Each structure stands twice: as structure tokens, then as C-alpha cells.
Amino acid sequence: MNWLLDLTPDEWNAVRLSVKVATVAMIASLPPGILIALVLARGQFWGKTLLNGLVHLPLILPPVVIGYLLLLSFGRRGPAGAFLAEHFGIVFSFRWTGAALACAVMGFPLMVRAIRLSIEAVDRRIEAAAGTLGANPLWVFGTITLPLILPGLIAGAILSFAKAMGEFGATITFVSNIPNETQTLPSAIYTFTQVPGGDAGALRLTLISFVISMGALVASEVLARRVGKRMDIE
């Protein structure tokens, strides 16, 4: 069984890059994820159904389509990509940052849905009571709403991370499959399946991907339960 852990330097790089990309994608998605979830859970406005559809579109469209749209928008010649590269020196196409962007987009619906369900479950009377005592809405959200939705926040973040660990279609379309730069675990596994004698490497990375993703999901469940129990005690 030692061969399962006998990874080559390129395989280790793919593992490290996947964890890095998934972590950055998860963290970057949190602020807009909370905001959009709050708007969808509490807002009443024209176009809410359209916004909800746009948020969940990555779950419906083929990942390759999302990757191509990102390439058109954030590529070197795309409107957003050209602006960011010229004014801020930020480049997404064919960089690991682009892989993080693609993973963030693909995992965003899962994060928003989990957070939105938690927000909708909060008793509005508790927030209203704090408001009658003179607390402003931002203070109420930070001290009352946010702690109450913490289990959903953790679940959404971990789901986003797990989705990012397995993302392939959007990533390879947007940033290609460049070793040590954009070659994440799914891309490396795909590469191994295309070369003779690559079965062992593909199996090693498949098992590692499974362990990391399953570990993240289990950790999410454990953390959410612990936070929920602590809140019930308090």
C-alpha cells in the first residue's frame, strides 16, 4: 500500500494547488455569498426570481459553458479581464487565480442556498426585539443574526470547498491544464487517464481527492452540530 502515498513532485503540486484554489475560492465567496443569501431571504423586489435563477445557473449549465463565459469576460481580451490587468495587474486566464475564480463561481450556488435557508429559519422577533432597544440593523445582524446562522454558514462554506476540490470542466476551459500552475487534482487525474501506465497515478489522486472532500464534509457536519448544541445551551 506504500505506492498510494508515493506521490511524485508533480502529484504533490496538484494536491497542494487544489487545496489552495479551493480555500481561496471558499474564502472569497463568503462575503458576497452572505450578502446575496440575505437579499434573497429577506428582500422583496422586482427581479428577485431572476437573481435567484442567475445565482443557481452554474448548477444547471454545463461547467464548460461557465468556463467559456469566464474566458470571454475575464480573459486577457475580455472586458473585465482587460480592465483588471491594465489597472490592477490582476490576471485570471491561465493562472491559478483563474482556477480559484472558476471554482468560486461553481460552488457559489451551494454556499448561497445553505446560508439562505439558515437566514430564513431565524426568528425575526428576536431581531425586532433588539431593534426596539435601539440597535442599528448592522449591529443586529452582526451580534444576533450572524451567530444564529453560523451552522448554515459553515455548511455552505464547506460545500463550496468540496465542490471546488472536484471542479474540472469550468477550470480546464478557463485556465487550461498547466502543470504547477493550473493543474488541480481533477485535471491531473484526467491527464493520467490519457497516458499509458497512468492508472496508478490516477488511482492515487482519486483516493486523495476522495479523502479530502469526504473529510471536509464530515468536518462540516461535526462543526455545525457542535455550534448548534452550544447555541441551544446558551
Side-chain angles (χ1 to χ4, degrees):
M1 295 296 290
N2 290 335
W3 64 274
L4 288 175
L5 299 177
D6 189 20
L7 302 181
T8 66
D10 286 342
E11 291 171 3
W12 276 117
N13 286 334
V15 174
R16 285 192 291 265
L17 181 62
S18 291
V19 174
K20 176 182 177 181
V21 165
T23 302
V24 170
M26 176 187 68
I27 294 174
S29 298
L30 274 174
I34 295 173
L35 179 61
I36 295 297
L38 185 62
V39 169
L40 291 176
R42 300 285 177 81
Q44 297 295 333
F45 55 92
W46 183 89
K48 180 179 178 179
T49 302
L50 179 61
L51 176 61
N52 185 60
L54 289 174
V55 169
H56 290 86
L57 206 56
L59 294 178
I60 307 301
L61 287 176
V64 173
V65 173
I66 299 297
Y68 182 63
L69 292 175
L70 288 173
L71 186 61
L72 292 178
S73 302
F74 291 92
R76 286 294 188 115
R77 297 182 180 180
F83 176 81
L84 291 173
E86 181 179 352
H87 293 87
F88 301 100
I90 300 175
V91 178
F92 287 107
S93 58
F94 307 108
R95 302 283 180 87
W96 75 268
T97 50
L101 176 60
C103 289
V105 171
M106 295 302 296
F108 194 69
L110 299 175
M111 176 182 287
V112 170
R113 183 165 182 80
I115 299 175
R116 177 184 178 180
L117 291 175
S118 292
I119 295 175
E120 291 176 343
V122 172
D123 190 345
R124 300 292 297 273
R125 293 173 296 182
I126 301 176
E127 298 171 320
T132 59
L133 297 175
N136 62 61
L138 187 60
W139 180 263
V140 171
F141 179 79
T143 59
I144 296 178
T145 309
L146 195 57
L148 290 175
I149 67 171
L150 195 55
L153 192 63
I154 294 173
I158 299 300
L159 282 174
S160 173
F161 177 86
K163 174 64 177 177
M165 285 295 300
E167 176 49 42
F168 174 70
T171 302
I172 200 171
T173 304
F174 183 34
V175 297
S176 190
N177 183 13
I178 306 172
N180 302 324
E181 181 64 37
T182 66
Q183 189 177 75
T184 57
L185 275 171
S187 301
I189 293 170
Y190 172 78
T191 299
F192 274 122
T193 63
Q194 302 302 305
V195 297
D199 293 344
L203 180 58
R204 282 196 298 269
L205 295 184
T206 297
L207 292 175
I208 290 174
S209 179
F210 176 83
V211 169
I212 293 175
S213 298
M214 181 59 69
L217 292 174
V218 171
S220 168
E221 185 69 18
V222 172
L223 285 173
R225 287 184 178 180
R226 286 185 178 180
V227 171
K229 288 181 179 179
R230 184 177 301 176
M231 291 171 57
D232 290 339
I233 294 174
E234 295 176 353

